[in-house]
Amino acid sequence: MKTEKFEVTGMTCTACVAHVEKSVSKLRGIENVQVNLLTNSMTVSYNENDIDNSEIEKSVENAGYKAHLKSENTTSNAGKSQSRPDYVREEQEEMRHRWWVSLAFLVPLFYVSMGHMMGLPLPAFLSGHQNAMSFALTQFLLTIPIAFVNKKYFTVGFKSLFRGAPNMDSLIAMGSSAAIVYGVFALYMIGSGLGHSDFTLVADYTHDLYFESGATILTLITLGKYLEARSKSRTSDAISRLIKLSPDTATVIRDNIETEVSVGEVKPGDLIVVKSGQRIPVDGEIVSGNGTIDESALTGESMPVFKSAGDKVMTACINNSGYFIFKATKVGNDTTLAQIISLVEEASASKAPVSRLADKISAVFVPVVIGIAILSVIVWLALGYSFVFALSIGISVLVISCPCALGLATPVAIMAGTGKGAEHGILFRSAEALENTHKTRVVVLDKTGTLTIGKPRITDIVTVGNTDETELLRLLYSLEKSSEHPLAEAIVSEVERRNLQAYQLSDFENIPGSGISGIIMDKKYRAGNIRLLQNAGIESNDIEEIAQKLAEEGKTPLYVAENNHLIGLVAVADVLKHDSAAAVKALKHMGLEVIMLTGDNRKTAEYIQQQAGVDKVIAEVLPQDKDKEIARLQSAGQKVIMVGDGINDAPALTRADVGIAIGAGTDIAIESAGVVLMRSSLNDLVTALQLSRKVMRNIKENLFWAFFYNVAGIPLAAGVFFSLLGWKLNPMFAAAAMSLSSVTVVLNALRLLRFKPRFAFSGNNNSPQNVEIKAEGEIRSHKIENSNSINTIMTQKILTISGMSCGHCSARVEKTLNNIEGVEAKVFLETNTAELKLTRDVSNEELKKTIDMIGYEVTDIKE
């Protein structure tokens, strides 16, 4: 099975789309066809053994349109367009030209045809019945340029009509042609009347020329198309901005000489120089130097990231400061930027299930409208009304019907939504994923790497007796830097952050299942689990209470002993990401049930549940059983989102109604997902859900107004209300109404471009980080003086306080808290929080009561 993309030109409405899809679908070997009116594109899946591209293109041409295969280099040079035609811009320019030419001739045509009704003077050769022929001929001559510049309506419309697949152009062509042809007929009747001196006949037809109606129809429809094209171009701006991000050139080191080359000439393995202020031309890995990289263009993350040797860099990101050389690993269509552009284009071109009703109606819409128009003319003639009256009714029905509003209702909203998602670092791989996201009521989160950072971090340091915290870390680092244990990474990372140096180590020994030991400054040091201490006969009574508490919190205690006595303990755990608790709270606020799925033991899982605030935990699940848990939830009638980042999450991501991959996850997880979050932030999951709901609400609004417009407009144009209320729609107003309907649908979709994520529970700052409980890697310090007295210092609490509105408020709260014995407080007005360090046990009730007494309220306490 092969899938190819084609550019299709000549389509104007959903009837065109339906006809193209129907024509191609009939071919042998065609599996699936999707045509997008907004992007003028067609995606075809077919068996290449049965059919080739030329047959597909010929089928489209036989349907009355043109098609050609999209260039494979569409997004080469990391997304930089080579020579791809911009059909939206071309359409906009064509419509602008047609509009101005039409307007230039319509103004004098209106002056001649209707000026005298408003008391405006006409030249003598156009006044009076004796000059009726010149009066009519002048209008005809002014109409010809308008019809000529808009000849596309006639060529495409009548061609489609004669092929048995009428479209919107057919309606316009029939309506305006009927008006112009009747005007020519009237011109001949005027000539006949003048020849026979029948001035009554001349007067009758002089007032019923209809040239201005035909010309106005064409001009107003063209104006509507021009405004529509301008609006459509804005919906595709997100893709255009992405394409423009990639630089044109790169500085490559070849033969030890820096050479500037086109980005298209860069090959994998090339060494590329990036200086301060330059954009990164392709994806790669830094081999020397460092820089502060702004990745906001791709990930939406506003904070620059410091990167050095061994770190990966992505196309289009900016090196704010520094100098580095990196090795190209992905170029052309393989770069991150090119893949993002491809995903956004594919999602924009795909169809949401909600659009199927509009597609079915559009397939029969135009023939039905033509039938209604003919029937209306016949009925009004049968009722004894004049041919002119009946003709105006028929023209109004043809002109007011608007299949393009139906056709634009879904794609403009999808394109605006997917483009806006890309700006926030959220990639919807299809319109179906975008639609399904808003339907879900259950969110299942993998723990490791999704809720948590995915790497062990030091969370607590306990020192015994006179041991200093820094000294304990140096000793532990000296032992662990030679270890390959996963927990050693956490120790090494923290020590390097503090710029501490290791001691000289000798006689290093790895004790399987227990820990490690070695000689430092003629003393034997041991680091490991409780079994290591027991085997060495070292007492741990002084520290056992804290160790037990840390274990209950899902942390791994690492004991440190000097010779034959315990000097401290370091707890290590995979901690929550800084925004996970806030994101979970936002999800629950949106009415979603949040479930954590993990292979960890239940005790650890329940502690993470308590910290993150998830509704339910499914623990001790084997990797191969994760998709079974998703299936079990679905069997209960739930629509499920699965969020994960690892290889073992791929089956569950595929099984879920919507699989969402965290951007820092594996390629396999990303390939299995319907939505990709470029950043490793669950806040983006909240944004994705809000955006999906906004887009689907917008689509439903568009479809409602498109259906309502046609349901209300066609009866009005057909004269249904004329007998009762005297309402009759002039064809010129019908043309204006038709144009307005399409523009209204597009403008409504453009409201999505103003989308901003909202978090109802936030304080002064509209961000979920306001409810953050603590930063990643925050370390609690404990001090044990002796075996009989445990004095814990720097135990922390974070209060969320409502009612503070200015600096005076926060200063008053901070002063009040610091007056409590054993409390050291710092208040942050922008997040409505207070960070407390406690040297004694201070109850939550005492803290709440103290704040309440000064007129504020503690709404949450995190320990």
Side-chain angles (χ1 to χ4, degrees):
M1 191 62 63
K2 187 177 183 181
T3 300
E4 292 284 8
K5 291 183 180 179
F6 296 81
E7 300 280 5
V8 182
T9 57
M11 298 186 299
T12 56
C13 68
T14 48
C16 302
V17 172
H19 189 45
V20 171
E21 288 183 345
K22 186 177 180 180
S23 299
V24 177
S25 297
K26 289 179 179 178
L27 298 174
R28 178 172 49 89
I30 298 295
E31 181 70 22
N32 183 50
V33 183
Q34 282 196 344
V35 179
N36 188 282
L37 176 64
L38 186 63
T39 57
N40 293 296
S41 64
M42 174 176 68
T43 304
V44 184
S45 298
Y46 61 95
N47 189 331
E48 54 190 322
N49 295 323
D50 294 332
I51 193 171
D52 59 24
N53 295 332
S54 61
E55 292 180 72
I56 296 173
E57 292 175 358
K58 187 176 180 181
S59 175
V60 175
E61 290 175 9
N62 290 337
Y65 309 92
K66 292 183 179 179
H68 60 273
L69 189 66
K70 263 192 175 183
S71 168
E72 292 183 3
N73 262 343
T74 294
T75 54
S76 63
N77 290 5
K80 187 71 78 174
S81 177
Q82 295 301 295
S83 57
R84 177 174 61 180
D86 189 339
Y87 291 105
V88 174
R89 302 290 181 187
E90 288 178 6
E91 179 187 18
Q92 182 179 331
E93 285 303 310
E94 180 193 359
M95 289 297 173
R96 186 174 69 88
H97 171 72
R98 286 164 55 180
W99 152 244
W100 283 113
V101 171
S102 299
L103 184 64
F105 286 94
L106 184 65
V107 170
L109 174 58
F110 251 91
Y111 185 89
V112 172
S113 63
M114 308 183 100
H116 61 284
M117 299 179 188
M118 295 178 284
L120 299 175
L122 283 177
F125 71 93
L126 297 178
S127 301
H129 294 315
Q130 66 276 15
N131 293 314
M133 179 58 73
S134 58
F135 176 76
L137 191 60
T138 300
Q139 292 184 49
F140 177 58
L141 293 175
L142 288 170
T143 302
I144 289 174
I146 298 175
F148 179 78
V149 77
N150 293 294
K151 63 182 182 295
K152 186 177 179 181
Y153 293 130
F154 301 99
T155 56
V156 175
F158 284 121
K159 186 176 181 181
S160 299
L161 180 64
F162 295 146
R163 289 180 182 274
N167 58 14
M168 187 197 75
D169 285 341
S170 302
L171 298 178
I172 298 170
M174 291 176 67
S176 56
S177 294
I180 294 171
V181 168
Y182 179 80
V184 173
F185 168 75
L187 196 150
Y188 277 97
M189 295 305 293
I190 291 171
S192 175
L194 289 173
H196 293 85
S197 298
D198 186 350
F199 290 102
T200 301
L201 181 66
V202 171
D204 288 342
Y205 281 99
T206 299
H207 293 100
D208 288 325
L209 286 171
Y210 267 94
F211 286 126
E212 79 282 355
S213 293
T216 302
I217 289 170
L218 293 172
T219 303
L220 289 178
I221 295 297
T222 300
L223 172 61
K225 284 289 181 184
Y226 171 52
L227 295 175
E228 180 185 314
R230 285 188 61 183
S231 301
K232 282 162 63 177
S233 70
R234 288 187 59 194
T235 65
S236 60
D237 279 349
I239 295 176
S240 301
R241 285 195 295 269
L242 287 171
I243 291 173
K244 293 175 182 177
L245 286 176
S246 175
D248 295 313
T249 60
T251 304
V252 181
I253 299 177
R254 290 177 178 167
D255 299 325
N256 294 322
I257 299 175
E258 292 186 9
T259 307
E260 189 172 280
V261 300
S262 167
V263 175
E265 298 177 37
V266 177
K267 298 178 178 61
D270 280 345
L271 294 178
I272 301 170
V273 175
V274 179
K275 300 175 183 177
S276 178
Q278 292 184 336
R279 285 190 184 271
I280 298 168
V282 295
D283 289 6
E285 183 177 315
I286 297 177
V287 295
S288 65
N290 57 65
T292 303
I293 313 296
D294 179 0
E295 298 180 334
S296 59
L298 298 188
T299 66
E301 177 58 65
S302 59
M303 292 298 294
V305 182
F306 178 79
K307 296 197 174 187
S308 57
D311 291 329
K312 294 181 179 180
V313 292
M314 296 183 293
T315 313
C317 298
I318 301 174
N319 179 24
N320 282 349
S321 63
Y323 170 96
F324 60 86
I325 299 172
F326 75 95
K327 181 172 70 174
T329 55
K330 293 181 180 179
V331 301
N333 287 336
D334 295 327
T335 63
T336 303
L337 177 61
Q339 294 299 314
I340 291 174
I341 292 171
S342 177
L343 285 174
V344 174
E345 286 183 330
E346 286 176 9
S348 299
S350 64
K351 287 189 176 181
V354 73
S355 67
R356 290 172 186 161
L357 177 61
D359 290 343
K360 290 178 180 178
I361 292 176
S362 298
V364 297
F365 184 85
V366 175
V368 169
V369 168
I370 294 173
I372 293 173
I374 295 172
L375 182 63
S376 298
V377 172
I378 294 172
V379 169
W380 285 110
L381 286 174
L383 291 174
Y385 287 84
S386 69
F387 177 74
V388 174
F389 180 90
L391 179 65
S392 68
I393 290 287
I395 293 172
S396 294
V397 171
L398 290 171
V399 173
I400 199 170
S401 308
C402 193
C404 53
L406 286 172
L408 291 170
T410 299
V412 290
I414 292 293
M415 176 166 276
T418 52
K420 200 64 183 176
E423 289 181 16
H424 287 273
I426 302 163
L427 304 180
F428 293 96
R429 298 174 71 96
S430 68
E432 185 174 3
L434 180 61
E435 178 175 344
N436 287 341
T437 300
H438 98 286
K439 294 179 180 179
T440 54
R441 290 295 175 264
V442 177
V443 176
V444 178
L445 304 174
D446 176 53
K447 182 183 79 71
T448 306
T450 302
L451 273 168
T452 65
I453 61 175
K455 295 180 180 179
R457 294 278 183 91
I458 294 178
T459 60
D460 297 79
I461 299 175
V462 183
T463 55
V464 178
N466 295 325
T467 305
D468 177 73
E469 180 179 298
T470 301
E471 181 67 12
L472 181 66
L473 284 175
R474 287 188 68 186
L475 291 168
L476 190 55
Y477 175 50
S478 304
L479 292 167
E480 292 287 359
K481 72 173 186 175
S482 301
S483 171
E484 297 179 355
H485 194 279
L487 297 183
E489 181 184 347
I491 309 298
V492 172
S493 175
E494 177 61 25
V495 169
E496 289 180 348
R497 187 184 70 83
R498 299 191 185 197
N499 294 318
L500 302 180
Q501 299 298 317
Y503 291 114
Q504 187 70 35
L505 176 71
S506 61
D507 296 341
F508 175 80
E509 182 182 2
N510 187 1
I511 307 168
S514 297
I516 54 178
S517 67
I519 304 298
I520 300 174
M521 295 179 294
D522 299 325
K523 295 180 180 179
K524 185 165 185 175
Y525 289 90
R526 297 177 177 86
N529 56 29
I530 189 65
R531 189 183 301 112
L532 179 70
L533 299 185
Q534 293 171 346
N535 292 340
I538 300 173
E539 293 287 338
S540 61
N541 295 335
D542 291 349
I543 210 169
E544 203 55 49
E545 183 180 335
I546 289 181
Q548 182 63 34
K549 182 180 178 182
L550 294 174
E552 290 173 358
E553 294 175 356
K555 301 172 183 177
T556 302
L558 188 63
Y559 298 87
V560 183
E562 177 186 287
N563 291 328
N564 293 318
H565 65 276
L566 188 66
I567 62 172
L569 175 151
V570 172
V572 177
D574 181 11
V575 300
L576 279 183
K577 292 177 183 176
H578 72 278
D579 56 1
S580 289
V584 169
K585 189 171 184 178
L587 292 171
K588 292 166 70 174
H589 186 269
M590 294 170 69
L592 297 162
E593 181 184 5
V594 184
I595 298 173
M596 184 176 76
L597 186 64
T598 178
D600 279 356
N601 65 74
R602 180 157 295 278
K603 182 179 289 186
T604 300
E606 287 176 350
Y607 179 73
I608 294 294
Q609 176 189 15
Q610 180 185 357
Q611 280 197 309
V614 299
D615 297 304
K616 182 181 177 183
V617 166
I618 303 175
E620 300 174 356
V621 179
L622 296 175
Q624 61 269 29
D625 291 335
K626 285 187 175 182
D627 66 318
K628 294 179 182 178
E629 292 294 336
I630 298 297
R632 186 177 60 80
L633 290 169
Q634 290 173 323
S635 66
Q638 303 278 19
K639 293 287 186 181
V640 180
I641 287 177
M642 171 66 194
V643 187
D645 75 324
I647 293 175
N648 61 355
D649 296 323
L653 291 172
T654 304
R655 171 78 66 179
D657 296 282
V658 180
I660 299 182
I662 291 286
T666 63
D667 290 341
I668 294 176
I670 292 173
E671 285 299 318
S672 303
V675 183
V676 178
L677 307 181
M678 292 295 292
R679 297 185 299 174
S680 292
S681 170
L682 282 179
N683 283 339
D684 289 345
L685 171 60
V686 179
T687 302
L689 283 158
Q690 291 181 350
L691 179 59
S692 174
R693 292 182 178 185
K694 285 278 188 183
V695 170
M696 295 316 301
R697 185 182 300 118
N698 192 277
I699 288 174
K700 290 173 183 177
E701 290 170 353
N702 286 346
L703 289 172
F704 169 79
W705 287 113
F707 280 120
F708 175 80
Y709 167 82
N710 283 293
V711 168
I714 293 175
L716 177 63
V720 171
F721 305 106
F722 180 73
S723 298
L724 295 175
L725 303 173
W727 293 352
K728 179 179 176 295
L729 194 63
N730 186 290
M732 291 184 288
F733 291 110
M738 177 189 179
S739 300
L740 184 62
S741 68
S742 298
V743 174
T744 301
V745 165
V746 175
L747 290 178
N748 186 50
L750 288 179
R751 293 190 302 117
L752 291 169
L753 299 181
R754 301 199 303 268
F755 167 80
K756 290 182 180 179
R758 299 181 64 84
F759 302 91
F761 54 84
S762 60
N764 294 334
N765 188 346
N766 192 27
S767 166
Q769 278 127 348
N770 290 348
V771 297
E772 183 45 47
I773 59 172
K774 67 177 183 178
E776 295 170 8
E778 180 183 297
I779 297 175
R780 294 188 299 181
S781 299
H782 310 265
K783 180 73 173 177
I784 297 180
E785 301 295 346
N786 53 59
S787 59
N788 298 317
S789 173
I790 297 180
N791 181 29
T792 304
I793 65 170
M794 293 178 66
T795 299
Q796 294 194 346
K797 292 186 179 184
I798 295 185
L799 312 183
T800 301
I801 303 170
S802 66
M804 297 188 296
S805 59
C806 64
H808 295 292
C809 297
S810 59
R812 186 182 180 196
V813 171
E814 185 170 293
K815 182 178 179 181
T816 302
L817 288 170
N818 282 316
N819 285 337
I820 302 174
E821 183 184 352
V823 175
E824 180 184 337
K826 181 68 175 176
V827 176
F828 300 93
L829 177 62
E830 61 275 10
T831 58
N832 290 322
T833 57
E835 293 185 0
L836 277 58
K837 293 182 179 179
L838 310 176
T839 58
R840 72 176 182 88
D841 186 17
V842 181
S843 70
N844 292 344
E845 287 302 318
E846 181 180 351
L847 294 171
K848 287 182 178 180
K849 185 176 180 180
T850 302
I851 297 299
D852 186 61
M853 288 176 64
I854 59 173
Y856 304 96
E857 181 184 1
V858 176
T859 59
D860 194 20
I861 299 179
K862 300 294 184 182
E863 299 185 20

